[in-house]
Amino acid sequence: MKKILWIILLFFPAVHASLCELNFHKINFEKFFAQCHQEAEQNNPNAQFNLALVYDEGKGVGQDKQKAAYWYTKAAELGHLEAQFNLAQMYYQGDGIEQDKQKTLFWYTKAAEQGYLNAQNNLAAMYFNGEGTEADKQKAFLWFEKAAAQGNPFSQYNVAIMYYNGNGVEQNRSLAKEYFKQSCDQAFQKACDELEK
């Protein structure tokens, strides 16, 4: 009997502390906002990211998803990996901007290539399901494996399932069991259940 892959897209906004953010806690908001805005206009990707985060979460200003997307885009284009991830999330969910799975795939790829764990997991899920691209089980396996190597229990479970079923990779029940164990060791119950079978 084939085992079913467990796909979960991780939607944890990335947060990064910079001078702007640190000053937010020390100084009044108006000074923080002015400083961040000035640094963002000077192409400081950390300031752009923090400004996007403020608009995204509506902290100290009215929530404005379009402005958040604008500043995430500016920072993402400068290589800021958390901005790339958050922008991909916005495109995936259609959160304040038009849903676009191809742009989601593009930005997840940028962040995943820089080693961002959640982007690797989500990119793998998109390849597995054929979202924004044709389904590609080998690419899905590659990205799940990269996230699994960084300790992501969901990705470890999915690698185990793919090895167990021979889906996107040559079937190997021994390796499947190892990955189930890694995932179970991190308290992912579905993996523990598989080990008990």
Side-chain angles (χ1 to χ4, degrees), residues 125-145:
M126 290 188 75
Y127 276 119
F128 191 87
N129 294 319
E131 294 183 273
T133 186
E134 288 188 33
D136 187 330
K137 306 302 188 201
Q138 289 84 16
K139 283 186 181 177
F141 178 81
L142 170 94
W143 288 109
F144 277 136
E145 190 175 46

Side-chain angles (χ1 to χ4, degrees), residues 29-91:
F29 180 77
E30 290 77 24
K31 189 170 183 179
F32 153 80
F33 189 78
Q35 180 181 359
C36 261
H37 200 274
Q38 180 181 8
E39 289 178 26
E41 291 290 349
Q42 295 170 350
N43 287 327
N44 177 322
N46 289 333
Q48 291 169 339
F49 173 75
N50 286 319
L51 197 55
L53 206 56
V54 165
Y55 281 121
D56 196 6
E57 297 177 357
K59 291 193 176 183
V61 295
Q63 189 176 44
D64 188 330
K65 295 292 186 169
Q66 286 80 25
K67 285 182 181 178
Y70 173 81
W71 288 111
Y72 280 142
T73 301
K74 295 291 240 179
E77 289 171 346
L78 292 173
H80 194 284
L81 76 100
E82 291 101 338
Q84 292 167 345
F85 180 78
N86 286 9
L87 184 59
Q89 301 282 69
M90 291 183 83
Y91 277 120

